[in-house]
Amino acid sequence: MQRICVIGGSRYFGKSLVERLQAAGHQVTVINRGSTRPPVGVEHLVVDRNDEAALAAALGTRTFDVVVDQVCYTPVQAAIAARAFAGRTRRYVMTSTIEVYDPATAVLPTVPLGTPVPEESVDPAGRQVAMDLPWHDDAYLEAHYAEGKRQAEAVFVHAGGFAFAAVRSAHVLGGGAQEFTGRLAHYAGLIARSEEITVHEKALPTVFIHYEELADLLVWAAAADFTGPVNACSDGLLDVYDLAEIVATPVGREAVYRTVPAGEKASPFSFDRHYAMSNARAKALGFSFSRTTDWLPGAVAEALAALSAAPTD
């Protein structure tokens, strides 16, 4: 049994993570702002992680074997957490994102087209950190989501005081109504209504992961001893056409596409730039991934069921 603290953990794969840790017999503490209670038997600390004094007071004399941070989006949040948990934990795992590799959001090393992007393409140890940017502004944060994650990783790497790992998640799907982005339901609705799916002229592939597989990987990462970033994605690359065709099969209609001019925004998962990740490091460290095409039809079925159950005006 380990003492594990989960920051966030109130919905989607974070909720599944907490349930898995509890089922494995670990002593789990959840920190959030109180909107959702954790399962019975899980300690619940209601506090705003952005309030450093309140966070330290809520933690009291508690120590942990591992902290899994599900909701760190900025270097300011990372710095607060690094100070608050210094001396309280031996290991800190932050959930990061595939978006750190997006070449549209930063000057990054060029990766040959078709080559899965490895972790070393974005080295947090070499990233500049700017604490004085308006990270508290929701609009700014939304527009700079990828850079916020890059800088948060960098803060933890340089903080010391505990071993640090970043889990860079692919696009997460599955769970029907639990999938709060609604992207699979979006595609199902478009196809069912014979509406156009906007795509780039040369749509490039990306990578995905099922929300339950990501929860499993985070449990694994909490117990492991590796440090640094690790990519989390199921096997197999899919482009927007592959995805739409898998959605279209149970809907019983053909997908309709419209190519957008260069520079115009297209549908989710249509990309005109390459940053599909490699999962080779996680595999070498001992984690086994599923294939996207094995679980995606089931995720589509869940999305369709959620659409059918949704109230209509």
Side-chain angles (χ1 to χ4, degrees), residues 15-278:
K15 182 179 178 181
S16 295
L17 165 65
V18 171
E19 293 169 347
R20 280 162 167 73
L21 292 173
Q22 186 184 35
H26 299 300
Q27 181 179 322
V28 184
T29 297
V30 166
I31 294 175
N32 61 33
R33 290 181 292 187
S35 59
T36 304
R37 292 193 59 81
V40 174
V42 171
E43 183 183 36
H44 189 199
L45 302 183
V46 179
V47 64
D48 185 347
R49 65 163 304 150
N50 298 306
D51 186 332
E52 186 169 354
L55 178 59
L59 288 170
T61 60
R62 293 172 179 81
T63 60
F64 305 98
D65 296 297
V66 188
V67 175
V68 184
D69 193 341
Q70 296 285 81
V71 288
C72 187
Y73 302 108
T74 75
V76 175
Q77 290 178 325
I80 290 171
R83 291 189 293 265
F85 287 96
R88 293 182 187 273
T89 187
R90 63 171 179 80
R91 181 169 178 77
Y92 200 105
V93 179
M94 170 190 157
T95 302
S96 191
T97 174
I98 186 177
E99 301 302 332
V100 301
Y101 299 113
D102 185 354
T105 62
V107 178
L108 301 173
T110 301
V111 178
L113 192 65
T115 301
V117 179
E119 287 84 355
E120 55 265 30
S121 291
V122 175
D123 179 7
R127 301 300 302 178
Q128 294 279 332
V129 173
M131 294 289 192
D132 57 348
L133 294 173
W135 296 114
H136 62 281
D137 182 84
D138 289 342
Y140 182 87
L141 180 56
E142 183 177 358
H144 297 83
Y145 172 72
E147 184 58 21
K149 286 288 193 179
R150 283 188 286 259
Q151 291 193 26
E153 288 185 21
V155 169
F156 282 123
V157 164
H158 292 293
F162 42 67
F164 172 68
V167 173
R168 293 172 175 169
S169 170
H171 306 290
V172 188
L173 297 176
Q178 294 183 68
E179 189 212 319
F180 59 90
T181 68
R183 288 173 176 171
L184 270 182
H186 169 75
Y187 276 93
L190 289 179
I191 293 170
R193 297 187 299 268
S194 296
E195 295 180 13
E196 294 175 332
I197 298 170
T198 53
V199 296
H200 294 100
E201 182 176 7
K202 187 176 182 182
L204 298 174
T206 188
V207 284
F208 300 90
I209 190 165
H210 192 275
Y211 80 104
E212 291 183 334
E213 185 166 36
L214 181 54
D216 289 336
L217 188 140
L218 288 166
V219 171
W220 166 78
D225 59 3
F226 70 87
T227 58
V230 65
N231 294 336
C233 56
S234 302
D235 288 336
L237 281 66
L238 276 72
D239 63 24
V240 65
Y241 298 105
D242 299 324
L243 179 70
E245 292 308 311
I246 292 172
V247 174
T249 299
V251 172
R253 292 177 180 267
E254 292 188 3
V256 179
Y257 303 100
R258 177 175 67 84
T259 301
V260 300
E264 184 177 317
K265 188 175 180 180
S267 295
F269 309 134
S270 179
F271 295 99
D272 58 356
R273 54 203 184 276
H274 169 64
Y275 58 105
M277 299 187 300
S278 165

